[in-house]
Amino acid sequence: MSGLLAGKRLLVTGIITDQSIAFSVAKIAQEEGAEVVLTGFGRLSLVERIAKRLPKEAPVIELDVTNSEQLASLPEKVREHVDGLDGVVHSIGYAPPSCLGGGFLDAPWEDVATAVHVSTYSYKSLAVACLPLLSRGAGIVGLTFDATLAWPVYDWMGVAKAGLESANRYLALHLGKQGIRANLVSAGPLRTMAAKSIPGFEQFEDAWTERAPLGWSLTDQEPAAKAVLALLSDWFPATTGEIVHVDGGYHAIGASPAA
Ligand SMILES: NC(=O)c1ccc[n+]([C@@H]2O[C@H](COP(=O)([O-])OP(=O)(O)OC[C@H]3O[C@@H](n4cnc5c(N)ncnc54)[C@H](O)[C@@H]3O)[C@@H](O)[C@H]2O)c1
């Protein structure tokens, strides 16, 4: 098999629909020669149905990233399909409704704790769970939404993403000796299930359409997916703790260009 990822074994979390960023990651990974194992959360039969739409049907392992038993048994379950992993994709995020849409000042700690557990701490949990399967040169990639600024309506999810961006640097620090890389892709807004659950998400859509110097498609997951896979390929051997923006250039521009 030829391709950028020929012979690589990847674990891809986060497929819930065929709009999921993780779906594009799994699809392009297979097209580039990788062997893909998926994890699914909650509605497993739905994830299995979506997995059938991939170029090659991929096995699905149940994983709630907040469930320590499921995390502990992950290596054994992955080994039923592949003998190790070259890459792990964390494409997971969730915040209870109180944490989004302008509720920053009122969201209770229990809800904020859930957002941080699922969206931030789980990046570390997933990496550590997969460690027995990883060797030198392997990589972990997660997805963020630029957390250097406060965004109207993103609220505690923004705080969780800021934590994720910091956790990425700490993961790079702690896994570096083992030759394992940790990187994030900072994607622009994409119409996925997670995005649709954010009240006022259209504000991001309008801002990006107006400002991104390269333009931005709200329905094209491929650019973000390709960056995830490039980071897991052999072409970023000395890159870790990094955040690659795949946002049409939005983050670099201070104001909307003149019409
Ligand atoms: N869509 C966007 O605009 C956008 C932009 C930048 C970053 N991101 C990030 O991309 C990642 C993927 O999101 P998406 O946009 O593809 O949406 P999505 O809704 O398709 O994917 C989110 C996934 O998180 C999973 N998940 C939620 N709780 C979980 C748990 N406890 N255990 C395991 N999995 C759990 C869901 O099952 C789902 O598959 C998220 O980290 C998201 O924050 C999205």
Side-chain angles (χ1 to χ4, degrees):
M1 188 77 175
S2 61
L4 187 71
L5 301 165
K8 299 249 184 250
R9 303 148 301 171
L10 305 186
L11 185 71
V12 178
T13 65
I15 292 183
I16 190 68
T17 70
D18 58 8
Q19 302 302 306
S20 296
I21 297 170
F23 182 84
S24 290
V25 170
K27 176 174 172 283
I28 300 169
Q30 288 182 341
E31 289 166 357
E32 290 297 324
E35 180 87 19
V36 173
V37 176
L38 304 174
T39 72
F41 166 62
R43 289 167 287 173
L44 225 54
S45 58
L46 176 60
V47 181
E48 279 161 355
R49 202 164 354 120
I50 304 289
K52 290 200 172 81
R53 296 185 201 162
L54 289 169
K56 187 180 156 218
E57 194 176 337
V60 183
I61 297 168
E62 183 172 19
L63 180 66
D64 172 349
V65 271
T66 65
N67 182 317
S68 35
E69 279 126 52
Q70 287 182 9
L71 285 164
S73 62
L74 188 61
E76 181 192 322
K77 290 193 179 144
V78 170
R79 278 203 186 94
E80 288 171 18
H81 307 286
V82 287
D83 53 5
L85 290 173
D86 303 291
V88 178
V89 179
H90 179 284
S91 190
I92 292 169
Y94 172 75
S98 67
C99 293
L100 296 158
F104 183 81
L105 297 179
D106 300 316
W109 164 241
E110 294 70 30
D111 287 356
V112 172
T114 300
V116 171
H117 196 176
V118 178
S119 314
T120 309
Y121 186 75
S122 72
Y123 187 55
K124 189 275 319 178
S125 310
L126 180 67
V128 169
C130 291
L131 267 187
L133 300 162
L134 300 171
S135 42
R136 291 195 88 75
I140 298 158
V141 177
L143 284 131
T144 188
F145 185 75
D146 190 356
T148 53
L149 302 165
W151 301 99
V153 310
Y154 208 46
D155 292 310
W156 285 103
M157 194 65 194
V159 178
K161 287 300 191 195
L164 176 71
E165 293 181 4
S166 180
N168 182 57
R169 291 184 282 269
Y170 278 95
L171 212 49
L173 173 69
H174 288 279
L175 299 184
K177 273 205 190 82
Q178 296 171 61
I180 297 165
R181 298 164 297 127
N183 291 293
L184 296 177
V185 167
S186 182
L190 294 161
R191 285 189 190 142
T192 62
M193 195 182 258
K196 285 178 198 153
S197 71
I198 304 173
F201 187 74
E202 326 71 67
Q203 294 180 36
F204 295 130
E205 301 191 347
D206 296 345
W208 248 262
T209 309
E210 209 175 286
R211 190 176 295 183
L214 287 175
W216 182 250
S217 167
L218 301 157
T219 53
D220 184 5
Q221 275 66 321
E222 267 199 33
K226 282 182 171 167
V228 168
L229 294 170
L231 286 164
L232 292 176
S233 75
D234 293 333
W235 289 88
F236 281 94
T239 299
T240 193
E242 187 58 275
I243 303 177
V244 177
H245 290 85
V246 182
D247 64 351
Y250 185 101
H251 72 283
I253 306 301
S256 301

